[in-house]
Amino acid sequence: MAGFVIAVDGPAASGKGTVSAGLARLYDLPMLDTGLLYRAVGVAAARAGGNLDDPADAGAAARALDLEALHDPALRTREAGEAASRVAVHPEVRAALLDLQRAFAARGPGAVIDGRDIGTVIAPDAPAKLFVTASPQVRAERRWRQLLGQGEAVEYEAVLADIRRRDERDSGRAAAPLVRAADAVLLDTSEMTIDEAADAARRIVEAARARWETSRGANPTTP
Ligand code: CDP
């Protein structure tokens, strides 16, 4: 039987990465940041001189994805985020990354997986689903500070424009758009500190885990 899978979806800079890392530590589960896969494909396609809006170029980069590339710090840049969202619209790209993500979800111990389509496409049967969001202004401020911390000089207004454009592209695309799964619990972190968001996520997942344990006929346990 599949392990305990926690699906965490949400828009750019919503806090889902931090929330996911906290949950992975708490439940001692492996974590997969699927955004990194799309970032790696976008960066690889660009480096190969490909056209990110061309499904053939982007699809070829996705099929040739080298998992070693996921450690590249260049994937954390603003440019890589934009490249990721451009290649992510192509069904060819999503198909090439599907098996890897589903296999990760199906591994014995369970997993924490974060992205845009985890609760809807990758792991629709996940026993715990969160949709983490925050206002565009709050998300832009977080991303802006993060980029400055990485040494990337950029204006707040430009980051806000990035966020809005990415939201529109990610939610408006035909293939696996960013959408809250019907059974995902909404967590709006606009007014929360990191600790508060982590705590709220833990409470949501604890409740889901208790239901999951019961449905498997086991005694509820605390991690
Ligand atoms: O950290 P941030 O939220 O900015 O981005 P990310 O999670 O690294 O994802 C980068 C881009 O990859 C997103 O804007 C999506 O277009 C795409 N993506 C996706 O389509 N599906 C996923 N499961 C994860 C990311």
Side-chain angles (χ1 to χ4, degrees):
M1 180 183 287
F4 186 63
V5 174
I6 306 173
V8 184
D9 289 303
S14 55
K16 63 188 186 317
T18 310
V19 158
S20 297
L23 291 170
R25 264 196 311 277
L26 181 66
Y27 291 97
D28 195 21
L29 291 172
M31 177 181 161
L32 179 64
D33 170 359
T34 63
L36 270 186
L37 302 174
Y38 291 90
R39 286 171 178 260
V41 171
V43 168
R47 281 187 184 152
N51 175 357
L52 302 181
D53 303 317
D54 177 355
D57 286 1
R63 286 188 292 277
L65 179 67
D66 171 7
L67 295 182
E68 287 300 309
L70 300 184
H71 303 293
D72 187 345
L75 302 190
R76 308 278 174 191
T77 62
R78 181 179 168 212
E79 200 180 343
E82 175 68 13
S85 112
R86 281 170 64 190
V87 295
V89 305
H90 304 303
E92 288 85 343
V93 168
R94 311 203 69 86
L97 302 179
L98 191 66
D99 286 352
L100 184 161
Q101 296 175 82
R102 289 223 171 120
F104 196 93
R107 289 184 340 172
V112 181
I113 310 185
D114 88 70
R116 301 290 187 286
D117 61 343
I118 310 307
T120 50
V121 175
I122 303 299
D125 298 330
K129 293 185 189 178
L130 276 88
F131 192 86
V132 184
T133 190
S135 71
Q137 291 78 4
V138 167
R139 290 188 285 123
E141 165 127 17
R142 286 178 188 160
R143 182 51 48 91
W144 177 61
R145 290 188 188 285
Q146 186 186 344
L147 291 170
L148 290 184
Q150 289 172 198
E152 207 171 330
V154 58
E155 298 289 327
Y156 165 82
E157 288 301 333
V159 178
L160 179 59
D162 282 0
I163 292 265
R164 290 193 194 282
R165 186 173 57 248
R166 206 118 74 77
D167 282 358
E168 213 174 289
R169 194 188 288 129
D170 289 351
S171 309
R173 70 186 177 213
L178 170 67
V179 58
R180 176 183 164 192
D183 53 351
V185 179
L186 183 70
L187 176 59
D188 186 333
T189 67
S190 300
E191 310 277 324
M192 293 181 183
T193 63
I194 288 177
D195 285 347
E196 286 166 350
D199 213 47
R202 184 185 53 75
R203 282 197 301 273
I204 293 166
V205 175
E206 288 281 283
R209 187 163 176 106
R211 283 194 301 275
W212 180 71
E213 296 277 1
T214 308
S215 73
R216 300 163 90 218
N219 292 323
T221 53
T222 28

